[in-house]
Amino acid sequence: MIETLKAWDEELFLWLNSHHVDWLDPIMYRISETVTWVPLFAWLIYLIFKKDRANAWWVLGGVALTILATDQFTSGFLKPFVERLRPCHDPRWDGLMYNYERCGGLYGFVSSHAANSFGMAVFLNRKLKGKVKYLPWLYLYAVIVSYSRIYLGVHYPMDVVIGALIGAAFAWLSWFAIVYIKRELIKKALK
């Protein structure tokens, strides 16, 4: 069963990765870089303080906790534990796949980009639900960043899907932790 899923994942990767166009290559490369999104992050911080000043530090702390947890779990634990080669490091795909300029670390299961971007999107949409109007667009940001990893040849589709699920799970855990800690601190302060 696992081998069948792995074969489907590899076939889907080769198909998705084969659909690249030269003019889009540098754009996808930039999309995959964190620095490209600094204006988005700055805008989000501004919105958080504008719409929910009283809880802004709790929200930012929750985002930081989510990203720290997803990044450490995916890069620090799963990648070295599973040891699945990135497609760009797998000699079976030489001449069959497209890779633009860089490959990254040796192992790729799971995508930290997917985990971090989906973790942030889920946490902010959960924590600021009803307070900030356009936050569901963060899911589009997460999808684009995640897809760029397949496009660039550094992740298989399942790396991205499982990464997104891990990011969502840690976002929910962070949300519960922030709500619980805040509630307990308020209870103690009122005693």
Side-chain angles (χ1 to χ4, degrees):
M1 179 71 173
I2 297 292
E3 289 305 314
T4 302
L5 289 174
K6 191 175 170 186
W8 288 347
D9 190 29
E10 291 170 350
E11 287 176 29
L12 181 58
F13 165 76
L14 290 172
W15 183 77
L16 289 170
N17 180 261
S18 71
H19 290 87
H20 77 89
V21 289
D22 292 341
W23 64 267
L24 191 55
D25 295 348
I27 294 169
M28 288 304 239
Y29 181 79
R30 295 289 176 238
I31 282 172
S32 204
E33 291 187 316
T34 304
V35 71
T36 302
W37 298 99
V38 167
L40 171 66
F41 303 148
W43 179 72
L44 287 171
I45 291 168
Y46 165 76
L47 280 179
I48 290 165
F49 276 96
K50 182 179 178 190
K51 300 291 184 176
D52 196 10
R53 182 173 294 278
N55 294 306
W57 290 109
W58 289 101
V59 174
L60 294 176
V63 170
L65 178 62
T66 301
I67 292 173
L68 177 67
T70 57
D71 203 60
Q72 289 304 306
F73 184 72
T74 57
S75 293
F77 174 70
L78 277 180
K79 286 177 184 176
F81 180 75
V82 175
E83 293 185 343
R84 183 182 190 191
L85 290 176
R86 289 180 186 266
C88 50
H89 285 304
D90 193 329
R92 296 178 300 157
W93 310 136
D94 285 348
L96 296 175
M97 61 150 286
Y98 179 75
N99 176 248
Y100 184 78
E101 288 194 26
R102 71 171 177 197
C103 188
L106 190 58
Y107 304 121
F109 185 84
V110 300
S111 170
S112 298
H113 279 73
N116 294 341
S117 59
F118 273 96
M120 183 181 74
V122 169
F123 182 85
L124 286 176
N125 274 283
R126 180 70 194 125
K127 188 72 177 123
L128 296 173
K129 188 175 183 174
K131 294 179 182 175
V132 179
K133 202 182 222 180
Y134 302 107
L135 281 183
W137 282 97
L138 286 178
Y139 293 114
L140 179 61
Y141 148 78
V143 167
I144 291 169
V145 167
S146 298
Y147 177 71
S148 75
R149 308 303 287 162
I150 298 167
Y151 182 97
L152 295 171
V154 297
H155 282 293
Y156 292 104
M158 285 306 271
D159 298 349
V160 167
V161 170
I162 302 297
L165 293 173
I166 288 169
F170 274 109
W172 275 92
L173 289 172
S174 295
W175 179 78
F176 283 123
I178 293 297
V179 168
Y180 177 78
I181 291 168
K182 186 177 174 190
R183 184 180 68 220
E184 292 304 311
L185 286 176
I186 290 171
K187 275 185 193 176
K188 287 181 182 178
L190 293 175
K191 285 184 178 183

